[in-house]
Amino acid sequence: MQGLSGAAEPVDLVIIGAGPTGLFGAFYAGLRGLHAKIIDALPQPGGQLAVLYPEKFIYDVPGHPKIMAKDLVRLLVEQASTFNPVFCLGERAIGLRRADGLWVVETGRGVHPARAVLIAAGIGAFQPNRLGKPEIDQYEGRGLYYVVSERRPFRNKRVLIVGGGDTAVDWALNLKDYAAHITLIHRRDQFRAHPGSVAELMRSGIDIRLFHEIKAIHPGDDGTVREVVIFNNRTGEETRLPVDAVIMSLGFKADLGPIRGWGLETVGNRYIKVNARMETNLPGVYAAGDIAAPEGVEPLNLIVIGFAQAATAVNYAATYINPQAKVFPGHSSEMRLG
Ligand SMILES: Cc1cc2nc3c(=O)[nH]c(=O)nc-3n(C[C@H](O)[C@H](O)[C@H](O)COP(=O)(O)OP(=O)(O)OC[C@H]3O[C@@H](n4cnc5c(N)ncnc54)[C@H](O)[C@@H]3O)c2cc1C
């Protein structure tokens, strides 16, 4: 078995994933007196909130009648920072093994030993579905977007949005009075988005073209997107549209990626099986949030559920690390923090 040579100093808890679940887990670890390290493949914390819907309001976070996703991330980072966890961003966890009585998480950049591990990796490998046509995909970074994290690049731009799910519809509505013009094309006449959002889209006056798909992108002199050719998939009729940006919203692949090879019991390709304590089949390894499938119940992929699961996982991890510790953490209102 490989040892720990070249490894970082061991911490009590390594948390894989800096989405809302992992961030709250890091805070909770501090509350339990555990030193935590939080690892995320993305360069910034926040998970889906930061990447998929930073500028949308969330209405079902307790105590916040309405809060913008990026503001919730900022507050979660501030709350987690109370206890100075180590942040390792831009590092993807690729391996998990035992060495010298510790768990060891390996990333492309380092070796991170810990007494316990909390996997809060959400939908796992965060990969947008791509069209798979190199002649179109080659424009990514030159006006073609598979992931949109802010609306700034689209100010006063002519934008084509491709897709019929929540992300496509939400960005169309979000950019409506911000971009110069929006065209939304969808290959069917049924949307997968929330019915309320679809109704709003239909009322919005946005240029919507059903049964249309993208056929080609033509660049301007600077090599960036300048024109698209779309076609009606029922009649074959082609239309040229002058556009400055194309947002491809074809959904995201939910896949555990390298986590599948770690010896964890999983539920399909999507979930890690956990019990009511958020324990996986590996002692000392816990899972919480969107990635966790608690036995006997349907997984509820919601922020609030991830928060509660993170607290549960960390409280049990505290007793795994120190068998003398109690599961109940005490009340934070009786502690002096910050
Ligand atoms: C458009 C949209 C709107 C939503 N609106 C709401 C809402 O209003 N209310 C609500 O409650 N929920 C909402 N959700 C769901 C909510 O965003 C998720 O339930 C929540 O993000 C789950 O948090 P998480 O921390 O478990 O996972 P995530 O947010 O997915 O974070 C997981 C993190 O783990 C990282 N990661 C994954 N694999 C690795 C690896 N191998 N190594 C390192 N890092 C890794 C990822 O990069 C990611 O940053 C919405 C989701 C979407 C897509």
Side-chain angles (χ1 to χ4, degrees):
M1 184 189 284
Q2 282 171 278
L4 285 173
S5 70
E9 270 298 298
V11 293
D12 294 316
L13 185 69
V14 158
I15 299 173
I16 300 171
T21 305
L23 288 172
F24 190 62
F27 166 75
Y28 219 90
L31 208 61
R32 291 294 323 227
L34 304 177
H35 187 217
K37 177 182 279 186
I38 186 161
I39 296 174
D40 202 297
L42 296 171
Q44 84 272 31
Q48 295 173 51
L49 286 72
V51 175
L52 299 183
Y53 59 107
E55 293 181 351
K56 283 188 77 171
F57 284 110
I58 305 170
Y59 301 91
D60 53 353
V61 176
H64 295 278
K66 121 178 187 180
I67 183 162
M68 202 176 263
K70 65 181 180 189
D71 292 332
L72 181 60
V73 172
R74 182 177 44 76
L75 292 171
L76 284 165
V77 170
E78 184 185 324
Q79 189 179 29
S81 301
T82 313
F83 298 106
N84 299 316
V86 179
F87 277 90
C88 298
L89 299 175
E91 280 194 50
R92 184 174 158 91
I94 49 179
L96 176 71
R97 62 183 167 90
R98 291 289 285 174
D100 298 352
L102 297 168
W103 283 107
V104 180
V105 176
E106 289 179 351
T107 70
R109 287 214 219 142
V111 175
H112 305 280
R115 291 173 187 87
V117 173
L118 170 59
I119 304 175
I123 53 176
F126 222 79
Q127 286 300 322
N129 291 323
R130 281 162 212 277
L131 200 58
K133 292 188 178 164
E135 66 278 18
I136 290 183
D137 290 344
Q138 63 167 315
Y139 288 96
E140 201 171 351
R142 292 188 288 145
L144 177 80
Y145 296 78
Y146 273 106
V147 177
V148 177
S149 56
E150 56 171 1
R151 58 187 200 154
R152 215 169 354 153
F154 308 103
R155 190 180 175 84
N156 297 328
K157 296 278 170 65
R158 297 163 300 180
V159 183
L160 174 75
I161 299 178
V162 182
D166 276 306
T167 311
V169 172
D170 290 347
W171 276 116
L173 293 171
N174 191 318
L175 295 174
K176 181 174 165 293
D177 298 317
Y178 191 78
H181 186 266
I182 296 170
T183 308
L184 183 143
I185 63 171
H186 182 34
R187 65 193 162 115
R188 303 190 290 132
D189 62 349
Q190 299 295 315
F191 285 85
R192 278 172 288 110
H194 190 279
S197 308
V198 176
E200 197 181 337
L201 177 76
M202 293 305 172
R203 287 193 303 268
S204 67
I206 288 171
D207 179 5
I208 303 164
R209 306 198 188 190
L210 302 176
F211 297 109
H212 275 76
E213 298 179 38
I214 186 165
K215 179 165 186 185
I217 292 180
H218 297 150
D221 292 342
D222 61 356
T224 64
V225 173
R226 217 28 97 233
E227 184 185 71
V228 292
V229 182
I230 58 171
F231 69 100
N232 183 314
N233 60 21
R234 295 198 297 186
T235 64
E237 188 190 345
E238 293 186 4
T239 311
R240 286 168 179 265
L241 298 174
V243 299
D244 309 300
V246 178
I247 299 177
M248 303 289 280
S249 294
L250 308 181
F252 278 78
K253 253 193 227 76
D255 188 343
L256 295 178
I259 296 170
R260 247 178 302 147
W262 294 356
L264 291 155
E265 259 186 71
T266 56
V267 180
N269 261 348
R270 171 74 178 79
Y271 293 108
I272 297 171
K273 193 167 160 186
V274 290
N275 61 19
R277 301 171 171 191
M278 311 314 292
E279 292 166 337
T280 68
N281 59 307
L282 303 178
V285 179
Y286 300 76
D290 273 18
I291 202 162
E295 266 174 317
V297 293
E298 176 102 351
L300 281 175
N301 295 337
L302 291 168
I303 295 163
V304 68
I305 302 288
F307 287 163
Q309 292 180 342
T312 303
V314 173
N315 280 317
Y316 280 100
T319 66
Y320 172 83
I321 292 166
N322 173 12
Q324 316 304 323
K326 289 187 178 143
V327 178
F328 187 67
H331 293 137
S332 71
S333 55
E334 282 150 22
M335 302 173 191
R336 281 185 178 276
L337 300 180

